[in-house]
């Protein structure tokens, strides 16, 4: 059985034991800058080649959903995210295949880029220069954007930067993303006490709940799914993320809170849901309407509602800000949970 001790979140000895994980989060902005620097010359050379616009863009590999969240609403040519093994049967020499392979060791990704090379497609892969994926990507129409940190978001920024330079996606300025990440790291630093630390306060709010996460825009929804994964890993609880129509029945089925329930009873009460909304500032009418419906359903059943928000202007930077704040909260949740 586990319980949450919020005093651990400001205990220097406890926080020192989690220093490696917290430091990794704090260095997120630095990794984006480093990847952008490493890939800058290759990106400039690739843009200078002035290649013709592809018939279609295929984001291949297990990280393709992040590229889809950015490109799908904007890309001027047909776009397909293909997280499955191999490639769609129609992909050929007129198409562009892009892949994120931060570690470069995934056999499925290596197989997919080898298939793209065999079919004569133009291939752009972000991966370590000496890696399994790089070896399989070797070809006349292949470009390796070198990566060194193994960071998924930093790797995505490198690819998106190239795609924005060839007018296939909106701008993804690395410095803007890195600055947004630095601001979150400062606000959520372990050295800031829980009274003024948004991630620590969110961890306390989630402590005795099964979080239900929702993001209205495409990128906020992607961030919600990633944060839910972090919460599950940190706590072992069934944190879920989904669309409004999938989460609404769950909220509506929640029993009303018993105001007379003894929180100190010998038998632990069931974990209630907590609605966590990731708000990236979208002014879309449908997004705002869905948020209102979810909030109303939560209020009717006595379900607590928390919000992660951001004021950053750039789209990818907003995603990065939401994701890192939620990941910090998941880490503080891990730190505060104590096993009896």
């Amino acid at each position: 059985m586990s319980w949450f001790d919020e005093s651990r979140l400001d205990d220097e000895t406890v926080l020192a034991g989690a220093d490696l994980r917290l430091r990794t989060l704090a260095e997120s902005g630095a990794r984006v800058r480093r990847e952008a620097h490493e890939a800058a010359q290759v990106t400039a050379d690739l843009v200078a080649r002035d290649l013709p616009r592809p018939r279609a863009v295929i984001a291949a590999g297990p990280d393709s959903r992040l590229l889809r969240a950015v490109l799908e609403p904007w890309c001027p040519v047909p776009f397909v995210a293909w997280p499955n093994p191999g490639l769609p049967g129609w992909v050929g020499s007129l198409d562009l295949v892009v892949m994120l392979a931060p570690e470069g060791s995934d056999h499925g990704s290596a197989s997919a880029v080898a298939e793209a090379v065999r079919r004569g497609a133009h291939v752009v892969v972000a991966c370590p220069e000496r890696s399994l994926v790089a070896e399989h990507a070797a070809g006349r129409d292949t470009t390796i954007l070198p990566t060194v940190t193994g960071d998924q978001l930093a790797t995505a920024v490198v690819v998106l930067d190239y795609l924005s330079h060839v007018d296939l996606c909106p701008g993804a300025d690395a410095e803007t993303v890195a600055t947004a990440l630095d601001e979150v790291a400062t606000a959520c630093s372990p050295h800031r006490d829980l009274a003024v630390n948004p991630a620590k306060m969110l961890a306390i709010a989630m402590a005795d709940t099964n979080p239900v996460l929702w993001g209205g825009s495409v990128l906020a929804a992607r961030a919600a799914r990633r944060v839910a994964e972090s919460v599950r890993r940190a706590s072992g609880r069934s944190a879920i993320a989904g669309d409004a129509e999938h989460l609404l029945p769950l909220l509506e089925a929640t029993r009303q809170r018993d105001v007379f329930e003894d929180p100190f009873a010998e038998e632990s009460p069931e974990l209630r849901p907590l609605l966590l909304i990731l708000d990236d500032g979208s002014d879309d009418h449908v997004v705002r309407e869905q948020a209102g419906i979810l909030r109303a359903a939560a209020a009717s059943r006595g379900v607590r509602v928390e919000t992660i928000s951001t004021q950053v202007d750039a789209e990818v930077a907003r995603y990065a800000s939401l994701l890192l704040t939620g990941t910090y909260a998941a880490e503080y949740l891990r730190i505060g949970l104590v096993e009896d």
Side-chain angles (χ1 to χ4, degrees), residues 132-148:
L132 177 69
V133 171
E135 291 174 6
H136 283 72
R140 183 186 61 184
D141 294 318
T142 297
T143 300
I144 302 294
L145 297 176
T147 64
V148 293

Side-chain angles (χ1 to χ4, degrees), residues 125-163:
V125 185
C127 67
E129 288 184 286
R130 295 184 178 182
S131 65
L132 177 69
V133 171
E135 291 174 6
H136 283 72
R140 183 186 61 184
D141 294 318
T142 297
T143 300
I144 302 294
L145 297 176
T147 64
V148 293
T149 67
D151 185 284
Q152 183 195 49
L153 177 59
T155 303
V157 170
V158 166
V159 173
L160 291 169
D161 179 58
Y162 161 67
L163 294 174

Side-chain angles (χ1 to χ4, degrees), residues 5-317:
D5 180 0
E6 67 180 62
S7 68
R8 291 171 59 85
L9 303 187
D10 284 338
D11 186 316
E12 292 185 6
T13 302
V14 173
L15 292 172
D19 180 71
L20 178 59
R21 293 193 298 270
L22 292 170
R23 188 179 298 275
T24 298
L25 297 181
E27 293 172 349
S28 297
R31 289 194 295 274
V32 170
R33 292 187 179 92
R34 185 178 180 191
E35 293 291 22
H37 174 75
E38 293 290 334
Q41 187 57 56
V42 176
T43 299
D45 292 344
L46 183 56
V47 172
R49 291 172 60 185
D50 195 23
L51 298 170
R53 174 169 286 183
R55 175 181 62 178
V57 177
I58 303 90
D63 292 333
S64 60
R65 292 183 179 89
L66 175 55
L67 295 181
R68 177 174 63 188
V70 180
L71 269 76
E72 202 164 47
W74 200 94
C75 189
V77 300
F79 172 83
V80 174
W82 193 261
N84 311 306
L87 293 171
W90 50 265
V91 174
S93 59
L94 299 178
D95 304 309
L96 169 63
V97 175
V98 295
M99 176 177 287
L100 311 181
E103 301 291 345
S105 58
D106 179 62
H107 287 272
S109 298
S111 176
V113 295
E115 179 67 12
V117 170
R118 186 186 69 79
R119 297 191 197 181
H122 180 58
V123 180
V124 175
V125 185
C127 67
E129 288 184 286
R130 295 184 178 182
S131 65
L132 177 69
V133 171
E135 291 174 6
H136 283 72
R140 183 186 61 184
D141 294 318
T142 297
T143 300
I144 302 294
L145 297 176
T147 64
V148 293
T149 67
D151 185 284
Q152 183 195 49
L153 177 59
T155 303
V157 170
V158 166
V159 173
L160 291 169
D161 179 58
Y162 161 67
L163 294 174
S164 69
H165 277 90
V166 293
D167 299 323
L168 291 174
C169 83
D173 178 63
E175 184 56 36
T176 302
V177 176
T179 299
L181 291 169
D182 288 346
E183 290 173 353
V184 172
T186 299
C188 299
S189 166
H191 304 297
R192 296 191 77 197
D193 66 57
L194 58 85
V196 292
N197 190 315
K200 290 182 180 181
M201 290 189 288
L202 181 55
I204 294 171
M206 293 192 293
D208 298 316
T209 71
N210 279 321
V212 175
L213 295 88
W214 177 79
S217 70
V218 177
L219 273 172
R222 176 64 185 163
R225 289 178 170 83
R226 292 287 311 281
V227 173
E229 292 170 6
S230 295
V231 172
R232 289 195 295 270
R233 286 194 298 267
S235 66
R237 296 177 183 172
S238 56
I240 61 171
D243 297 332
E245 61 267 29
H246 299 143
L247 300 181
L248 188 60
L250 188 154
L251 296 173
E252 293 175 337
T254 303
R255 68 173 180 83
Q256 282 283 3
R257 178 184 293 276
D258 182 357
V259 296
F260 300 106
E261 188 173 70
D262 181 1
F264 302 105
E266 195 69 27
E267 183 178 340
S268 298
E270 63 178 325
L271 295 178
R272 291 175 59 79
L274 172 141
L275 176 60
L276 178 55
I277 294 177
L278 278 70
D279 182 3
D280 64 353
S282 172
D283 57 1
D284 184 271
H285 172 71
V286 174
V287 171
R288 291 300 165 192
E289 182 180 38
Q290 290 178 337
I293 291 172
L294 289 172
R295 289 180 183 275
S300 71
R301 310 308 293 176
V303 173
R304 182 170 180 170
V305 180
E306 295 288 337
T307 303
I308 301 176
S309 59
T310 178
Q311 303 301 318
V312 181
D313 290 333
E315 191 175 36
V316 178

